[in-house]
Amino acid sequence: MKLLLWITITVALLVESCLMERPHPPHPHPPHPHPPHPHPPHPTHHHHHPHPCRSPSELEGKLTVTTPSGEFFAYGKYTYDADGQRIRFEELGQYQNKSFRADVLLLYKEGVMYTINREEKTCAKSELKDTFHPMEIPDNATLLGQVVLGSFSAPGEGLLVNSWMGEMPLLEAKYFLTFTEFGCLPISSLYYSQKTGWITTSFFNIVVGIKDPSSLTPPPFCTNATVESEGNFYSAFF
């Protein structure tokens, strides 16, 4: 087999050398140009059935949070650490026509939530009883479909995503999630419960990894903060 491979390569090189050295006779007629293809060829994609997935354990990015009524809107940065079960939100927004600034650190393993005011160097510490939910598509979620955001007519014009739906019986809530097919990165989340109503979250400018790990540690002026109330994820904003 090795001898056959060596012969094949040698013959190919000899033929290539002869073609390069031998002058080509003039063509009696100029070659006809190939007519343009009426439609550009479609890129080849490897289709397979999407499966539930989990996002990378460390992420940073931007997000927007809105309610359909327009009563609530927020825009800001998030830092996410699944292994340490820590999330930091630094946001600006409006609620009931009043502007607000929120800097919230949720430490699920410790069961505490810090509402941080860096300008006044104060902290409000709350008991956090929520269960940490990683950024993922739950195993019992139902696939709605796989779609392209944008276009696949040319490279770089589209993003392949999967949309899912499911329910959270303990919270009497339901959700619709859209994640990228490659990388399992969140694109959007639509969440509903009787307590919160519909909440839409959009994710963008995502970076895998955490640039400043200290952002997930309470600042020094929070050391003496005592638990004042009970909180949860949404009480940080509503």
Side-chain angles (χ1 to χ4, degrees):
M1 180 65 70
K2 290 183 179 179
L3 178 61
L4 178 61
L5 179 60
W6 180 84
I7 293 173
T8 303
I9 295 173
T10 303
V11 171
L13 291 174
L14 288 173
V15 171
E16 181 181 7
S17 176
C18 292
L19 290 175
M20 291 179 64
E21 293 176 359
R22 186 178 63 186
H24 294 280
H27 199 282
H29 302 286
H32 295 286
H34 294 287
H37 198 282
H39 302 287
H42 294 285
T44 302
H45 303 288
H46 300 284
H47 294 284
H48 66 278
H49 187 71
H51 296 282
C53 62
R54 177 171 293 188
S55 296
S57 59
E58 294 185 350
L59 295 175
E60 288 184 341
K62 300 293 181 65
L63 55 75
T64 59
V65 184
T66 58
T67 56
S69 63
E71 184 181 41
F72 177 86
F73 170 80
Y75 165 84
K77 175 185 177 181
Y78 70 91
T79 306
Y80 165 84
D81 171 23
D83 294 335
Q85 297 187 8
R86 303 177 296 175
I87 305 176
R88 178 80 174 264
F89 294 101
E90 301 170 70
E91 299 190 329
L92 299 172
Q94 280 194 336
Y95 179 52
Q96 295 181 342
N97 293 324
K98 294 182 180 180
S99 298
F100 71 88
R101 180 187 296 269
D103 187 349
V104 181
L105 176 61
L106 300 102
L107 304 178
Y108 287 87
K109 285 186 176 181
E110 290 83 353
V112 295
M113 178 178 76
Y114 292 93
T115 303
I116 302 167
N117 188 325
R118 288 192 172 275
E119 294 180 357
E120 299 182 4
K121 295 190 181 301
T122 60
C123 267
K125 187 176 181 181
S126 305
E127 183 180 5
L128 183 62
K129 291 189 174 182
D130 283 350
T131 301
F132 178 79
H133 295 285
M135 286 188 181
E136 66 176 5
I137 302 299
D139 291 336
N140 61 353
T142 300
L143 177 67
L144 294 176
Q146 186 175 82
V147 299
V148 176
L149 299 181
S151 169
F152 270 173
S153 296
E157 290 186 349
L159 179 65
L160 190 63
V161 301
N162 301 319
S163 294
W164 306 78
M165 67 173 294
E167 296 184 353
M168 305 171 72
L170 294 178
L171 299 176
E172 297 182 348
K174 54 186 175 182
Y175 61 83
F176 298 86
L177 302 173
T178 300
F179 276 54
T180 61
E181 165 66 17
F182 304 107
C184 193
L185 299 175
I187 298 297
S188 65
S189 166
L190 186 60
Y191 174 92
Y192 175 82
S193 72
Q194 289 187 345
K195 183 177 181 180
T196 63
W198 289 102
I199 299 176
T200 302
T201 307
S202 299
F203 302 85
F204 52 96
N205 290 353
I206 298 174
V207 177
V208 177
I210 297 175
K211 184 177 180 180
D212 180 14
S214 67
S215 64
L216 293 172
T217 302
F221 55 82
C222 291
T223 303
N224 297 324
T226 57
V227 175
E228 300 175 359
S229 61
E230 181 179 323
N232 57 42
F233 178 90
Y234 292 105
S235 69
F237 309 104
F238 292 91

